[in-house]
Amino acid sequence: EVQLVESGGGLVQPGGSLRLSCAASGFTFSSYWMSWVRQAPGKGLEWVANIKQDGSEKYYVDSVKGRFTISRDNAKNSLYLQMNSLRAEDTAVYYCARDGKWLVPSYWGQGTLVTVSS
Amino acid sequence: EIVLTQSPATLSLSPGERATLSCRASQSVSSYLAWYQQKPGQAPRLLIYDASNRATGIPARFSGSGSGTDFTLTISSLEPEDFAVYYCQQRSNWPPTFGPGTKVDIK
């Protein structure tokens, strides 16, 4: 069974940093593109970033470019999102997702809440 | 950035009724459109990809159609567990974008 478990969310002040993790199991992690998608409270879904199987390609939405870094450790079956210079508008539930087809998240974690507030 | 518009915003129906949800793109996305279902407090679930292909384990009452700029998700006969929010998503152009959602609630 495919499982994705996010962790690392919490309350952080504007300008602060946070690192999210996603532990994957039930599939060959190194064979799939992986993505982060977020959802602000009561709002819709927004793509954040994705990363190729070997980490050689990474793509970001403009609103996080230069502030967020996606990475992965295939030996640990883990996906990460380093978030720096956080803003109030980054407040959201962050979902880790496994892509089936390119940019089609077919499996999602339960999400981790990031709150940026003073 | 491709903008997706969904209509209606809310659809009030009874179990057993047919639901027809619409998604329109600001420019052609070919067939690169997916549909997701999300229930309160849960992660989205992939229903349909590439306009008309059901994802693994999705019941046959869910079907998708369309190409270019106009797409439809049809639920042939609503089950109690189908009342949720539905999002469309395009992957034709970077960044991938989602529509604002259609809430299907119980009449």
Side-chain angles (χ1 to χ4, degrees):
Chain A
E1 179 193 3
V2 173
Q3 285 201 328
L4 298 166
V5 180
E6 302 92 337
S7 61
L11 175 63
V12 60
Q13 292 188 339
S17 298
L18 214 53
R19 189 194 196 208
L20 305 184
S21 299
C22 171
S25 60
F27 65 100
T28 305
F29 180 72
S30 59
S31 296
Y32 291 88
W33 282 82
M34 297 294 295
S35 299
W36 288 100
V37 179
R38 67 185 179 183
Q39 186 171 35
K43 302 296 184 182
L45 299 161
E46 181 186 27
W47 207 280
V48 175
N50 68 342
I51 185 169
K52 194 176 180 179
Q53 289 90 332
D54 62 359
S56 62
E57 294 182 35
K58 305 174 185 182
Y59 300 94
Y60 301 91
V61 68
D62 281 351
S63 59
V64 308
K65 208 172 288 184
R67 301 188 298 123
F68 289 12
T69 302
I70 189 171
S71 63
R72 64 193 295 162
D73 185 335
N74 287 342
K76 294 183 177 180
N77 290 337
S78 292
L79 177 72
Y80 305 102
L81 186 68
Q82 177 67 43
M83 304 186 295
N84 299 330
S85 303
L86 282 160
R87 306 166 179 166
E89 54 266 34
D90 296 318
T91 294
V93 173
Y94 284 73
Y95 294 103
C96 161
R98 188 195 91 174
D99 285 9
K101 291 217 166 196
W102 164 249
L103 300 179
V104 180
S106 53
Y107 289 94
W108 299 63
Q110 85 290 348
T112 187
L113 176 62
V114 172
T115 303
V116 184
S117 175
S118 53
Chain B
E1 175 174 309
I2 294 177
V3 176
L4 299 178
T5 305
Q6 292 187 243
S7 61
T10 303
L11 193 55
S12 296
L13 295 169
S14 300
E17 289 193 296
R18 182 183 189 90
T20 303
L21 288 67
S22 175
C23 178
R24 176 164 289 178
S26 59
Q27 64 187 77
S28 177
V29 298
S30 185
S31 294
Y32 298 125
L33 190 104
W35 292 93
Y36 301 83
Q37 176 195 68
Q38 188 178 34
K39 298 178 182 179
Q42 295 186 18
R45 177 175 71 143
L46 176 66
L47 300 175
I48 302 287
Y49 65 93
D50 291 352
S52 61
N53 298 283
R54 271 191 302 277
T56 302
I58 301 304
R61 64 181 181 273
F62 291 92
S63 64
S65 63
S67 66
T69 61
D70 291 297
F71 299 86
T72 300
L73 174 70
T74 301
I75 310 171
S76 58
S77 178
L78 282 163
E79 297 288 338
E81 61 267 28
D82 298 337
F83 293 92
V85 179
Y86 293 82
Y87 295 96
C88 57
Q89 176 239 331
Q90 66 82 20
R91 67 182 185 102
S92 175
N93 284 17
W94 186 267
T97 50
F98 292 88
T102 289
K103 183 178 182 180
V104 179
D105 66 14
I106 299 176
K107 187 174 181 180

